[in-house]
């Protein structure tokens, strides 16, 4: 074993760091650093900068415009991007849909959709969940009935992240209501500008309309938008989910969060001394750091053990559970570090639209909202309870 | 020992609970906040009429209660319903006026009890975090006037109040215990600027700038330089109120979650049938009962000498902070996505529980204070 980065890997890190320094616009960096809300244009700008460098799709094959980075390279990039306060790339097209198209889609579908993900023409969202189908995803009821060259879709999706900005949605739809739950599902790509699609925002606990309900009322979808075979959607859905989970370990995010936390704890005073010197707070911070150090290695161990380009299986559940617990603990510590300054709700400042001044120090405005927002980490992408069940069955054989 | 409430308190609890069940639907409260209203003045008048404010004060102060168990009964119900109307400032600012005021000043307490006057406590500052003794706002004698200068932060209901009870330093260095005085400051005094905002939990709050505010000697509340003692005793009452409110919010969040576990079906079963959730609900129940005991301990020791009173205050706030975080986080988790929505009441209880931890000392702060008080 050798825990050191190779000379090439170190050179890669330097290259990434330098590029970020030169390319990431200051305004965008400040928004991310202070936990402000990103507008659609911010995300699109970031994607276009990455795309211009050829770094937008780390796990895609070169032939389709990806960079085929290995696990270590991806880890290095993620860490550097987070530490530089770069925005997060949107996963829906890049790391959820694309792997499915690459593995199961037709060549026409790849040629049609993959370039549009890279050049920002399409903004994808994920239409899996429904009011009655959460953890029990195979219970989806949204119906797609074949009618000549089209499917006619009726039903409702929910919790659709950033669906208000999207022009395409990939959906699990029921094509055979009589088959067993898992067997009558298909994977369908739907243009959200088709008549009959309605999007209704849902405001979350942090005051942000991050998710939506999406309604389908006799929506006609060309049959060529079916991915793979009819009624085989469950296989593709599960394949996508393992990809979704590997990103949820979020080591880079946690590393950046820890840096912010230390910065804050060094500046905020409690009882006349910096909070960082308060033994109780320091101990909790140190424990989170120790967990994160091990997590970074667990992440690399699992990800590099998986076959090249493939997402790991049940092990990704471990990454998800532990990664989310650490990240939630860090946001909880950051909120506590703010003391009474975590109290005010400052949407004007967080939206960044106006030039509203923040009450309290840097980072205070976003501390409580992001603590509340991060509760989602243990709920979505397969809840942590469901992950533990997977670990119990698949790894422990219980 | 007797853990039963007196008949009067049971009656108070039952009428308050009925009143809130009738008049305080979650949707109304949400609509009010969305409309930018700080709180419902009609409801507040109704609470005053029910005697809720009077129950916060002793008979010799013009009320008919004022004991820890009165605070407990009232605030548990307020917490259960998610009430944002300003009862807490009556306990804090009103409590200080009633306890430390001279004859004329105490006239204000009568108006507070009647619900016709709102007074808010302006105690925190940018550098004070949770320390009551950290006061940099100055009160300097100038001829026969006293001049206040400084900025007070996180003044709950500050923009709605007509009078502020302001802590300011007449002598000593920033964190000294001695030298702090309390002053009654009408908000329309020249030099007072109040900027209101709302907190994460929907409660209105404000920053108050005091720029050369000239007061008469008669504006001082209690003895010169002796404000900390009164402040600490009143904040202990405020902590009892907040802890009881948190208990009510925990009960409400827990009840919502139990119902949800029975209703919500996944994999063909109510999710409450999954043992992974059952055991956690059981743990939550245990913690909520512990929280109730901590509130009882504090309520029953509010009138004890300082040492004992403060040990219970810190013990309760620490335990409530831990239990509150557990309840807020677990209830959201067990609800799944629904638990994170603004529309559903649970997220409001979770926000209130979390924000209560940021008022008058969080879990960590009171843990250390408990250790220090025990050692002292
Ligand atoms: C902020 C946010 C963004 C999201 N974005 C998207 C998106 O873009 N697209 C999309 O399709 N979906 C999205 N989701 C939906 C998400 O995937 C679901 O919320 C998740 O699958 C859980 O489903 P549920 O909310 O219906 O909870 P439920 O399935 O009702 O679960 C409620 C609770 O019961 C537990 N539970 C359920 N079954 C079991 C079991 N068998 N054993 C033990 N415990 C169990 C769960 O763990 C949870 O704690 C998002 C959710 C959130 C909160």
């Amino acid at each position: 074993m050798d825990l050191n980065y190779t000379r090439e890997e170190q050179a890669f890190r330097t290259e990434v760091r330098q590029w970020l320094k030169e390319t990431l616009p200051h305004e965008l960096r400040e928004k991310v650093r202070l936990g402000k809300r990103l507008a659609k244009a911010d995300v699109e700008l970031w994607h276009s900068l990455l795309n211009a460098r050829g770094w937008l799709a780390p796990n895609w094959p070169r032939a389709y415009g990806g960079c085929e980075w290995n696990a270590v390279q991806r880890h290095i990039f993620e860490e550097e991007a987070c530490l530089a306060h770069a925005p997060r790339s949107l996963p829906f097209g890049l790391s959820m849909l694309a792997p499915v198209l690459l593995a199961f889609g037709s060549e026409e579908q790849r040629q049609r959709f993959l370039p549009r993900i890279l050049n920002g023409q399409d903004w994808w969202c994920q239409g899996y969940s429904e009011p009655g189908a959460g953890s029990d995803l195979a219970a989806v009821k949204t119906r797609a009935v074949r009618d000549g060259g089209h499917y006619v879709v009726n039903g409702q999706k929910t919790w659709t992240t950033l669906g208000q900005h999207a022009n395409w949605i990939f959906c699990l739809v029921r094509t055979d209501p009589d088959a067993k739950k898992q067997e009558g599902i298909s994977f369908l790509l739907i243009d959200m500008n088709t008549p009959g699609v309605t999007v209704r925002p849902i405001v979350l606990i942090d005051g942000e309309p991050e998710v939506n309900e999406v309604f389908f009322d006799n929506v006609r979808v060309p049959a060529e938008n079916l991915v793979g075979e009819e009624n085989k959607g469950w296989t593709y859905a599960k394949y996508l989910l393992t990809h979704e989970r590997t990103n949820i370990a979020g080591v880079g995010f946690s590393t950046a969060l820890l840096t912010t936390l230390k910065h804050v704890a060094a500046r905020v005073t409690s009882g006349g001394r910096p909070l960082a010197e308060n033994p109780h707070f320091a101990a909790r911070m140190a424990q989170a750091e120790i967990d994160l150090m091990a997590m970074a290695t667990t992440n690399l161990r699992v990800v590099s053990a998986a076959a090249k380009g493939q997402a790991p299986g049940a092990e990704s559940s471990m990454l998800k559970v532990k990664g989310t617990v650490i990240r939630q603990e860090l946001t909880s510590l950051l909120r506590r570090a703010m003391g009474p300054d975590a109290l005010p709700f400052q949407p004007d400042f967080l939206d960044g639209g106006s030039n509203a001044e923040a009450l309290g120090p840097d980072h205070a405005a976003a501390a409580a909202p992001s603590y509340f927002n991060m509760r989602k980490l243990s709920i979505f992408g397969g809840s942590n309870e469901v992950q533990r069940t997977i670990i119990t069955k698949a790894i422990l054989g219980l | 020992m007797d853990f039963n409430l007196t008949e009067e308190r049971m009656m108070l609890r039952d009428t308050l609970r009925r009143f809130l069940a009738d008049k305080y639907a979650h949707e109304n409260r949400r609509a009010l906040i969305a409309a930018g209203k700080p709180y419902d003045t009609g409801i507040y008048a109704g609470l005053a009429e029910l005697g809720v404010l009077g129950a916060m004060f002793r008979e010799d102060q013009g009320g008919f209660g004022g004991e820890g168990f009165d605070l407990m009964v009232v605030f548990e119900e307020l917490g259960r319903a998610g009430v944002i109307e300003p009862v807490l400032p009556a306990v804090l600012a009103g409590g200080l006026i009633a306890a430390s005021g001279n004859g004329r000043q105490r006239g204000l307490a009568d108006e507070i009890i009647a619900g016709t006057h709102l007074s808010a406590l302006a105690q925190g500052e940018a550098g004070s975090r949770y320390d009551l003794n950290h006061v940099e706002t100055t009160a300097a004698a100038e001829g026969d006037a006293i001049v206040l200068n400084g900025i007070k932060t996180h003044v709950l209901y500050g923009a709605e109040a007509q009078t502020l009870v302001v802590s300011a330093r007449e002598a000593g260095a920033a964190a000294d215990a001695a030298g702090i005085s309390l002053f009654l400051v009408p908000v329309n005094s020249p030099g007072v600027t109040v900027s209101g905002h709302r907190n994460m939990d929907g409660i209105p709050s404000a920053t108050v700038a005091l720029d050369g505010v000239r007061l008469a000697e008669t504006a001082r509340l209690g003895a010169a330089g002796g404000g900390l003692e009164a402040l600490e005793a009143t904040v202990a009452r405020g902590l009892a109120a907040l802890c009881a409110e948190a208990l009510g919010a925990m009960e409400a969040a827990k009840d919502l979650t139990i119902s949800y576990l029975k209703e919500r079906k996944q994999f063909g079963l109510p999710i409450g049938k999954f043992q992974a959730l059952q055991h956690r609900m059981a743990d939550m129940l245990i913690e909520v009962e512990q929280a109730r005991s901590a509130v009882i301990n504090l309520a029953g020791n509010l009138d004890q000498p300082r040492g004992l009173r403060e040990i219970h205050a810190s013990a309760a706030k620490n335990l409530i902070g831990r239990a509150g975080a557990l309840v807020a986080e677990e209830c959201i988790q067990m609800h799944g996505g629904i638990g994170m929505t603004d529309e559903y009441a649970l997220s409001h209880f979770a926000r209130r529980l979390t924000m209560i931890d940021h008022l008058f000392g969080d879990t960590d702060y009171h843990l250390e204070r408990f250790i220090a008080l025990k050692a002292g």
Side-chain angles (χ1 to χ4, degrees):
Chain A
M1 271 196 226
D2 181 1
L3 297 186
N4 295 308
Y5 289 102
T6 64
R7 200 165 328 161
E8 292 78 48
E9 285 161 354
Q10 278 167 5
F12 177 66
R13 187 184 287 280
T14 310
E15 188 188 356
V16 170
R17 190 174 294 175
Q18 188 62 31
W19 180 82
L20 285 162
K21 210 169 132 191
E22 287 162 5
T23 319
L24 180 60
H26 176 74
E27 212 177 305
L28 197 49
R29 185 192 132 87
E30 280 304 284
K31 269 193 169 180
V32 175
R33 189 177 72 83
L34 297 175
K36 290 190 178 192
R37 288 152 182 179
L38 298 185
K40 182 178 189 183
D42 293 322
V43 178
E44 288 176 336
L45 171 62
W46 176 235
H47 277 210
S48 73
L49 293 170
L50 280 169
N51 188 40
R53 180 67 187 78
W55 283 355
L56 182 55
N59 50 350
W60 297 13
R62 285 224 168 77
Y64 292 97
C67 32
E68 282 184 31
W69 282 338
N70 63 28
V72 176
Q73 284 172 307
R74 290 212 294 261
H75 170 78
I76 290 173
F77 182 82
E78 194 205 332
E79 196 167 79
E80 289 300 323
C82 287
L83 287 173
H85 306 295
R88 167 175 185 248
S89 301
L90 266 197
F92 303 106
L94 286 167
S95 48
M96 294 189 194
L97 176 65
V100 171
L101 291 183
L102 286 164
F104 308 105
S106 66
E107 188 52 31
E108 293 82 70
Q109 286 171 337
R110 289 178 207 138
Q111 294 297 348
R112 177 176 172 202
F113 291 113
L114 295 183
R116 295 170 61 93
I117 293 174
L118 290 184
N119 67 24
Q121 275 174 287
D122 291 338
W123 180 304
W124 283 91
C125 63
Q126 179 186 26
Y128 270 30
S129 307
E130 297 182 8
S135 298
D136 186 9
L137 192 55
V140 288
K141 285 206 177 73
T142 296
R143 278 284 276 140
V145 179
R146 188 71 186 249
D147 175 26
H150 286 83
Y151 286 97
V152 180
V153 180
N154 280 288
Q156 182 195 345
K157 294 291 173 182
T158 190
W159 311 126
T160 320
T161 298
L162 299 179
Q164 69 268 40
H165 300 323
N167 59 330
W168 280 89
I169 182 167
F170 54 87
C171 288
L172 295 183
V173 291
R174 189 154 298 282
T175 34
D176 182 354
D178 302 323
K180 264 185 30 195
K181 243 167 66 174
Q182 280 86 352
E183 284 164 16
I185 297 172
S186 297
F187 194 104
L188 199 60
L189 312 177
I190 303 179
D191 182 342
M192 293 179 78
N193 293 316
T194 320
V197 179
T198 316
V199 177
R200 191 187 80 91
I202 302 175
V203 176
L204 291 184
I205 185 167
D206 59 349
E208 178 81 335
E210 178 179 343
V211 297
N212 301 269
E213 292 178 291
V214 180
F215 300 90
F216 300 96
D217 179 16
N218 284 320
V219 176
R220 294 185 69 79
V221 180
E224 72 219 37
N225 289 2
L226 177 78
V227 174
E229 288 176 52
E230 196 176 275
N231 297 332
K232 289 281 183 317
W234 187 244
T235 314
Y236 319 146
K238 282 199 308 189
Y239 181 81
L240 181 149
L241 278 178
T242 48
H243 277 271
E244 181 175 349
R245 267 166 221 155
T246 40
N247 297 326
I248 288 180
V251 173
F253 298 115
S254 288
T255 308
L257 206 50
L258 178 68
T259 311
T260 302
L261 178 64
K262 285 180 172 174
H263 167 91
V264 166
R267 279 160 187 78
V268 170
T269 57
S270 168
R273 66 185 166 184
L275 190 59
E277 289 169 24
N278 174 307
H280 196 69
F281 198 84
R284 293 177 47 140
M285 242 178 11
Q287 275 174 15
E289 181 165 6
I290 289 165
D291 285 346
L292 181 57
M293 285 161 66
M295 181 72 217
T297 301
T298 311
N299 187 43
L300 281 171
R301 279 171 54 213
V302 172
V303 177
S304 47
K308 190 167 169 254
Q310 281 256 306
E315 285 79 5
S316 73
S317 298
M318 297 198 297
L319 299 180
K320 204 248 162 172
V321 173
K322 194 66 200 179
T324 55
V325 167
I326 291 174
R327 210 164 143 202
Q328 288 178 336
E329 167 71 359
L330 286 167
T331 56
S332 169
L333 286 174
L334 189 56
R335 169 177 65 67
R336 284 150 180 270
M338 287 303 159
D341 289 324
L343 288 162
F345 176 47
Q346 307 182 57
D348 289 349
F349 174 76
L350 290 175
D351 282 339
S354 64
N355 286 327
E357 294 257 336
L359 289 168
D362 255 21
H363 298 292
S370 61
Y371 159 78
F372 287 119
N373 185 273
M374 287 301 132
R375 306 314 312 164
K376 72 187 177 189
L377 297 180
S378 46
I379 295 173
F380 68 14
S383 75
N384 282 13
E385 288 72 33
V386 168
Q387 302 307 320
R388 289 188 185 99
T389 303
I390 293 174
I391 293 170
T392 312
K393 286 193 183 141
I395 304 180
L396 300 174
L398 293 173
Chain B
M1 278 202 191
D2 179 5
F3 289 110
N4 296 307
L5 291 173
T6 59
E7 224 158 282
E8 290 79 14
R9 289 190 183 119
M10 268 199 279
M11 249 170 62
L12 177 64
R13 181 194 62 192
D14 295 346
T15 32
L16 180 54
R17 189 177 291 185
R18 260 200 312 276
F19 174 82
L20 293 171
D22 274 1
K23 301 245 154 77
Y24 216 80
H26 173 63
E27 298 73 48
N28 303 349
R29 174 186 181 277
R30 261 189 84 231
L32 193 76
I33 294 175
K37 302 250 169 60
Y39 58 86
D40 186 328
T41 46
I43 294 280
Y44 191 57
L47 290 172
E49 213 167 294
L50 280 187
V52 162
L53 299 171
M56 304 294 97
F57 297 84
R58 291 198 313 263
E59 252 171 72
D60 62 345
Q61 297 173 334
F64 58 85
E67 283 184 34
F69 294 116
D70 299 306
L71 294 174
M72 173 175 150
V73 160
V74 164
F75 274 87
E76 185 181 340
E77 294 313 315
L78 299 179
R80 198 188 295 275
V83 170
I84 58 170
E85 281 61 26
V87 185
L88 184 65
V91 174
L92 293 169
L96 277 167
I97 294 168
S100 309
N102 57 33
R104 225 164 47 83
Q105 292 167 333
R106 280 165 63 170
L108 264 190
D110 294 334
E111 291 182 48
I112 291 172
I113 291 170
T116 53
H117 188 97
L118 185 62
S119 178
L121 174 62
Q123 157 272 314
E125 297 182 2
S128 67
R129 200 170 170 88
Y130 299 122
D131 293 333
L132 300 177
N133 59 308
H134 186 114
V135 178
E136 293 183 51
T137 296
T138 54
E142 241 183 69
D144 53 6
I146 302 170
V147 180
L148 300 192
N149 276 293
I151 295 178
K152 292 292 178 178
T153 55
H154 308 299
V155 181
L156 298 174
Y157 305 91
E160 287 70 41
Q162 290 105 310
T163 323
L164 301 170
V165 175
V166 175
S167 62
R169 186 165 285 290
E170 294 203 84
D176 287 354
I180 298 166
S181 299
L182 301 170
F183 296 93
L184 276 176
V185 181
V187 287
N188 55 12
S189 313
V192 177
T193 315
V194 183
S195 357
H197 61 265
R198 203 182 278 280
N199 282 345
M200 279 306 290
D201 51 13
I203 303 276
S205 186
T207 304
V208 177
L210 304 158
D211 184 9
V213 178
R214 297 180 75 84
L215 302 171
E217 273 284 333
T218 51
R220 196 187 285 104
L221 193 59
L228 184 62
E229 207 177 305
L231 194 57
E232 201 182 55
T234 299
V235 167
R237 293 170 57 80
L239 286 171
L242 281 171
C243 289
E245 187 189 337
L247 174 64
M250 284 185 229
E251 290 281 9
K254 188 195 76 186
D255 289 349
L256 279 176
T257 309
I258 294 169
S259 311
Y260 194 72
L261 293 190
K262 289 180 181 163
E263 279 161 27
R264 172 70 169 170
K265 282 200 176 128
Q266 291 284 278
F267 305 101
L269 289 173
I271 56 175
K273 291 287 172 211
F274 298 121
Q275 207 171 55
L277 306 189
Q278 287 173 342
H279 285 187
R280 282 154 60 187
M281 272 317 290
D283 282 341
M284 193 192 300
L285 178 82
I286 295 168
E287 290 310 314
V288 175
E289 288 310 318
Q290 283 281 88
R292 179 173 294 285
S293 297
V295 173
I296 292 172
N297 280 344
L298 174 53
N301 283 284
L302 269 187
D303 293 326
Q304 294 289 340
R306 183 205 179 240
L308 200 54
R309 178 191 75 210
E310 293 302 323
I311 280 171
H312 280 292
S314 281
K317 193 68 175 22
N318 170 269
L319 191 140
I320 288 285
R322 287 186 280 135
L326 178 96
V327 170
E329 293 176 2
E330 286 282 81
C331 287
I332 291 177
Q333 179 68 23
M334 291 197 229
H335 271 85
I338 290 287
M340 287 196 64
T341 59
D342 179 68
E343 214 167 322
Y344 186 59
L346 176 66
S347 77
H348 292 264
F349 292 120
R351 272 177 268 180
R352 182 63 183 147
L353 283 170
T354 308
M355 291 301 117
I356 283 178
D357 195 41
H358 288 270
L359 292 173
F360 300 103
D362 65 11
T363 324
D364 295 346
Y365 181 84
H366 282 288
L367 179 68
E368 287 183 7
R369 190 163 178 270
F370 179 86
I371 295 169
L373 285 162
K374 278 284 190 182

